[in-house]
Amino acid sequence: MQLSDALSLIREIPDFPIPGILFKDITPLLGDAQALSAVTDSLVGDATSYTHVLGIEARGFILGTAISIRGEKGFIPLRKAGKLPHTTISKSYGLEYGSDVIEAHTDALSRGTRVLIVDDVLATGGTLIAAIEIAQELGAEIAEVVVLLEIAALGGRARIEEKFPNILVRAIVVD
Amino acid sequence: MQLSDALSLIREIPDFPIPGILFKDITPLLGDAQALSAVTDSLVGDATSYTHVLGIEARGFILGTAISIRGEKGFIPLRKAGKLPHTTISKSYGLEYGSDVIEAHTDALSRGTRVLIVDDVLATGGTLIAAIEIAQELGAEIAEVVVLLEIAALGGRARIEEKFPNILVRAIVVD
C-alpha cells in the first residue's frame, strides 16, 4: 500500500476529548494490516542511527513497538506516573488540554544508548520535550524524534527546536 | 536468542503496585531486541487463524503490535474508559487489585473478523473475559487468547474456560 493511502485512513472526530478539539483518530489505520505496515516502514527511518525505540504511553506504545519489530530494536516504554515498578525518573509537562507526568526506569537508558523517540501526535510538544529531557538526563543520545502526525498550528516543532536545536523532528504527515 | 533466555529477562519487583504483590516486570525483556523478537515469534502462533490482533491497554498494546507487525495483521486497541473517540462498547471487570473498564470502537470488529486477543499477564482473567465479551458482542470470532505470563495460582484460566469452553488460552510461560 502507498503511504498516502494508509494516511487517508486517519479520520477526524469533532469535539473529542473536549469541545472545540478536532481529534485525529488513527485507529482505522492501525486496524488495516497493509496501512500499518506502510506507516511503520516510514516511521522506522534510518534504523542504523538508533539502538532503542522509546515509545510514549499509550499510542506511542503501538507505533513504537511496530518500529522496534520492523527495525529489530529493543523497546523502552515511557509511562504515566505510577505504572513502572522499578526506580524511575519523572517529568511533568503541559498538554494541549490538561497536564501529565511521564516516567522511565532509570536503568532502561544509559550512556551509549541512542534512542528514536516516538509518539503519535506532535501538538504543543510538551510530552516530547519531557521525553527528550528524561533520555538526556539518563545519558542517552537522541537519534531522532518521530511522530505520525504533526499539528503545525500548535507550534510544537518550534518549541522543541528552540530548546534542542540539534535534535531532528520528523513527521510522517503535517496538518 | 532462545525463548528461555528471553524469558529469563523478566524480573520480579516485590510489593508493587501494592504490598504483598510480587510484580513481574517485562520491561528488561522488551528492551532487548533479540528477546523481544524471540517472544514475538512465540506469541504470533498460527497467524493464518486470525485476521486481526486485539491488544489490551497498555502492555497489551506493546505485545499486540509486535504480533501485528510480525504476523502482518491489523491492530485493534482495547482501551481504558474515555480514551477512544468514536462510538464504543464498554465492559467493567474486577482485577487482581481494583477494578476497571475497557472499551472498543464498535466499528473496529464485525462478523468475519477473527481476532487474536493479547495481554501481558493472565491473573484472575477479568480483563480477558471482558475483552472476549466485547469481541463476541460485535460479532467477531475469537481465534485464540494469548498471554506472555500466566499466574496459575490466581485461577484465571479456569474462569475463562468455564465461561468460554471453546476458546483456547495460550501462555508463553506459566508461573
Side-chain angles (χ1 to χ4, degrees):
Chain A
M1 185 182 282
Q2 297 284 323
L3 181 61
S4 57
D5 293 330
L7 296 173
S8 72
L9 295 176
I10 299 173
R11 65 182 169 186
E12 297 187 332
I13 312 277
D15 300 322
F16 184 89
I18 57 171
I21 300 288
L22 186 63
F23 188 85
K24 304 284 187 170
D25 179 18
I26 66 169
T27 60
L29 186 163
L30 301 174
D32 183 297
Q34 290 183 297
L36 177 59
S37 183
V39 164
T40 300
D41 280 339
S42 183
L43 287 166
V44 165
D46 175 11
T48 64
S49 71
Y50 51 93
T51 61
H52 292 77
V53 179
L54 206 163
I56 299 171
E57 186 166 0
R59 286 182 297 267
F61 284 7
I62 298 172
L63 300 177
T65 312
I67 298 169
S68 282
I69 294 297
R70 185 63 53 86
E72 299 179 359
K73 308 293 171 188
F75 178 77
I76 298 167
L78 260 176
R79 298 211 63 176
K80 310 283 189 203
K83 298 288 185 177
L84 287 169
H86 207 254
T87 311
T88 58
I89 174 174
S90 302
K91 291 278 168 189
S92 67
Y93 57 96
L95 279 172
E96 186 182 351
Y97 25 83
S99 76
D100 225 328
V101 172
I102 52 172
E103 300 186 333
H105 276 150
T106 54
D107 64 358
L109 294 162
S110 59
R111 242 160 260 289
T113 310
R114 281 174 292 122
V115 293
L116 177 74
I117 299 179
V118 188
D119 207 356
D120 60 331
V121 171
L122 167 56
T124 64
T127 320
L128 286 165
I129 288 171
I132 292 167
E133 288 174 342
I134 284 175
Q136 287 187 337
E137 285 182 31
L138 294 174
E141 269 178 70
I142 318 299
E144 200 178 20
V145 171
V146 68
V147 297
L148 176 51
L149 176 67
E150 175 182 351
I151 303 171
L154 295 174
R157 175 182 293 272
R159 223 167 269 123
I160 295 172
E161 288 177 349
E162 185 185 23
K163 210 168 163 91
F164 307 101
N166 296 320
I167 292 180
L168 183 68
V169 178
R170 186 162 56 94
I172 306 306
V173 59
V174 179
D175 189 63
Chain B
M1 184 184 283
Q2 297 284 323
L3 181 61
S4 57
D5 292 330
L7 296 173
S8 73
L9 294 177
I10 299 172
R11 65 182 170 186
E12 297 186 334
I13 313 277
D15 300 321
F16 184 90
I18 57 171
I21 301 287
L22 186 61
F23 188 85
K24 304 283 186 170
D25 178 18
I26 66 170
T27 61
L29 186 163
L30 301 175
D32 183 298
Q34 291 184 297
L36 177 59
S37 184
V39 164
T40 300
D41 279 340
S42 184
L43 288 165
V44 166
D46 176 10
T48 64
S49 71
Y50 50 93
T51 61
H52 292 77
V53 179
L54 206 165
I56 299 171
E57 184 167 1
R59 284 182 297 267
F61 285 6
I62 298 173
L63 301 176
T65 312
I67 298 169
S68 282
I69 294 295
R70 186 64 52 87
E72 299 177 1
K73 307 293 171 189
F75 178 76
I76 297 167
L78 261 176
R79 299 212 62 177
K80 311 286 188 200
K83 297 288 187 180
L84 287 169
H86 207 255
T87 310
T88 58
I89 174 173
S90 303
K91 291 278 168 190
S92 66
Y93 58 96
L95 280 170
E96 185 183 353
Y97 26 83
S99 77
D100 226 327
V101 172
I102 52 172
E103 300 186 334
H105 276 150
T106 54
D107 64 358
L109 294 162
S110 59
R111 241 161 261 292
T113 311
R114 282 174 291 122
V115 294
L116 177 73
I117 299 179
V118 188
D119 207 356
D120 60 331
V121 171
L122 168 55
T124 65
T127 319
L128 285 164
I129 287 170
I132 292 167
E133 289 174 342
I134 285 175
Q136 288 186 337
E137 285 182 31
L138 294 175
E141 269 180 69
I142 318 297
E144 198 179 23
V145 170
V146 67
V147 297
L148 176 52
L149 175 66
E150 175 181 351
I151 303 171
L154 295 175
R157 175 181 293 272
R159 224 168 269 125
I160 295 172
E161 288 176 349
E162 186 185 21
K163 209 166 166 90
F164 308 100
N166 297 321
I167 292 180
L168 182 68
V169 178
R170 185 163 57 93
I172 306 304
V173 59
V174 179
D175 188 66

